[in-house]
Amino acid sequence: MNKDHTLHFYGELRDGQWTLMCLNFTLAVQAESLPEAKFKINQQVDMYLKDAIEGQDRAHARELLNRSAPAKYWLKYYWHRATKTLFNVRDGHITENHHRSFAVA
């Protein structure tokens, strides 16, 4: 049965390149613009979920759908999310949540 999951995304702008990460699955992309990076990370998440749930990796779905980024990236995510919320800081970082529905075997 499918269940809604909140996916957490963190990104940084450095030297003219955006790096976006899906912290839930330890996926990352780079692009010159934020819209391009968002497009790429969403494509990567979609492919990852499809492979983990329906593809050749489905035997390992539980492990693949429950892996997570290192703690330092979660700390960055929560730090920048809090500073943006509390102080309206815009500093070349992005934190977003997206909801996806999928089943974990």
Side-chain angles (χ1 to χ4, degrees):
M1 173 167 48
N2 285 356
K3 177 182 169 192
D4 281 338
H5 298 269
T6 301
L7 301 183
H8 301 82
F9 295 88
Y10 171 74
E12 298 178 341
L13 176 62
R14 289 196 183 184
D15 300 324
Q17 288 278 322
W18 278 97
T19 301
L20 260 57
M21 294 172 257
C22 176
L23 301 178
N24 302 75
F25 304 134
T26 317
L27 302 173
V29 299
Q30 284 189 318
E32 291 183 10
S33 72
L34 183 55
E36 180 185 6
K38 286 181 176 185
F39 177 79
K40 285 181 170 184
I41 196 70
N42 280 308
Q43 274 192 322
Q44 194 173 66
V45 167
D46 289 343
M47 287 187 297
Y48 185 83
L49 288 172
K50 184 175 173 87
D51 285 346
I53 295 168
E54 301 170 8
Q56 64 185 13
D57 294 328
R58 69 180 170 269
H60 307 286
R62 181 169 294 289
E63 293 86 9
L64 292 171
L65 298 176
N66 287 297
R67 74 181 203 176
S68 186
K72 74 177 186 177
Y73 295 109
W74 284 98
L75 289 172
K76 286 182 175 189
Y77 167 86
Y78 284 112
W79 171 256
H80 289 287
R81 190 152 185 93
T83 58
K84 283 184 180 187
T85 300
L86 296 174
F87 306 111
N88 198 27
V89 174
R90 303 286 183 249
D91 60 357
H93 294 85
I94 184 172
T95 61
E96 289 187 358
N97 295 329
H98 296 208
H99 298 281
R100 300 280 174 97
S101 184
F102 57 89
V104 178

